[in-house]
Amino acid sequence: MRVKICGITQPEQSIAIASLGATALGFICVPSSPRYVTTSQIQAAVAQLPENIDKIGVFANASIDAIKQIVIDSGLTGVQLHGDESPEFCDQLRQALSNIEILKAFRIRTPEQLQTTANYTNYVDTLLFDAYHPQQLGGTGKTLDWKMLQQYSSNRPWFLAGGLTTDNIIQALSQVNPSGIDLSSGLERAPGDKDLAKVALLFERLGRWGDGEVGRWGDGE
Ligand SMILES: O=C(O)c1ccccc1N[C@@H]1O[C@H](COP(=O)(O)O)[C@@H](O)[C@H]1O
């Protein structure tokens, strides 16, 4: 399973988090976010990371030209679209950036909305499901109703995001079967400052879960 840790702002934390087991790191390119990082900050983090770690830039309603420039300048390997981008926009981004992973994030409120995500599967590589918040685009710490995803299937891999923590991750994985998980504010001391002890605990719990040592609802959680 892929494990993406998002909202990295400090280069030294990115190396530590990759060493603990993350398969992907996320960098917030949304200027209004408290986790926003500049192109040179991303460059500094990316330059120190092993090749096998996915480096994902998170954008919301940015232009194709702006995304392309940041991807090229910073060495990102993927783009997460976390705003109201249309399937046509995703298609155009694919034409502009052929060798990067495109993830489309959806802030899911209803089962009906989940069905509409099928309109995107021809244009993106990966889907990501986050919780809805009326004022914030992401990094809210809110969980979505995992039950909505229990019967979900797609021809694309998908990430579960939204309010995941060391305390609820095993419960979430007991209910749904995503290709990957994405955690941000649940592993922080403050926005953009990851708590490495929490990150280590996450991977310890995931390891026990993977080995079948943790019960259905997460023994000792
Ligand atoms: O983290 C942010 O500040 C952010 C800002 C704008 C768009 C997306 C953002 N983060 C994404 O939110 C989800 C879930 O975060 P959390 O675990 O609930 O804190 C995650 O995919 C981040 O990439």
Side-chain angles (χ1 to χ4, degrees):
M1 186 176 63
R2 297 174 72 185
V3 182
K4 172 170 169 276
I5 307 295
C6 206
I8 307 288
T9 61
Q10 303 172 23
E12 62 283 4
Q13 288 201 336
S14 64
I15 304 160
I17 292 169
S19 311
L20 286 167
T23 67
L25 298 182
F27 302 93
I28 305 294
C29 305
V30 179
S32 59
S33 166
R35 302 174 186 86
Y36 171 72
V37 277
T38 62
T39 301
S40 51
Q41 284 175 294
I42 303 172
Q43 253 173 358
V46 165
Q48 300 180 43
L49 285 169
E51 254 186 48
N52 64 343
I53 302 292
D54 301 318
K55 296 111 185 157
I56 312 292
V58 178
F59 297 83
N61 305 323
S63 71
I64 290 187
D65 285 348
I67 296 173
K68 188 174 174 182
Q69 198 60 54
I70 292 172
V71 167
I72 292 169
D73 291 346
S74 61
L76 292 169
T77 61
V79 167
Q80 176 176 323
L81 301 171
H82 218 98
D84 305 314
E85 298 85 1
S86 65
E88 293 73 26
F89 181 92
C90 297
D91 191 23
Q92 286 164 21
L93 186 64
R94 163 64 66 235
Q95 314 300 323
L97 286 169
S98 52
N99 290 326
I100 58 140
E101 179 181 11
I102 300 180
L103 303 91
K104 179 69 186 92
F106 301 92
R107 290 169 285 128
I108 299 293
R109 277 195 277 187
T110 63
E112 293 71 34
Q113 194 192 359
L114 194 56
Q115 296 317 314
T116 66
T117 64
N119 300 333
Y120 286 79
T121 53
N122 284 342
Y123 309 110
V124 303
D125 301 294
T126 307
L127 307 174
L128 184 148
F129 301 126
D130 190 8
Y132 175 78
H133 186 286
Q135 278 91 38
Q136 290 172 52
L137 287 171
T140 66
K142 272 190 72 167
T143 52
L144 68 152
D145 182 359
W146 300 324
K147 285 195 184 71
M148 282 194 290
L149 291 165
Q150 274 174 342
Q151 306 302 324
Y152 179 75
S153 76
S154 170
N155 60 2
R156 289 287 175 226
W158 59 276
F159 274 89
L160 178 67
L164 297 173
T165 67
T166 52
D167 288 336
N168 67 14
I169 190 64
I170 301 304
Q171 189 180 352
L173 293 176
S174 302
Q175 295 189 36
V176 296
N177 190 22
S179 331
I181 52 176
D182 182 9
L183 298 90
S184 181
S185 58
L187 299 177
E188 289 180 333
R189 282 189 289 245
D193 181 15
K194 297 297 181 236
D195 181 336
L196 297 183
K198 281 189 185 168
V199 179
L201 181 60
L202 171 77
F203 286 104
E204 187 196 315
R205 290 194 169 160
L206 289 174
R208 290 176 61 216
W209 167 253
D211 292 342
E213 287 175 28
V214 182
R216 182 172 162 72
W217 297 109
D219 295 346
E221 295 264 315

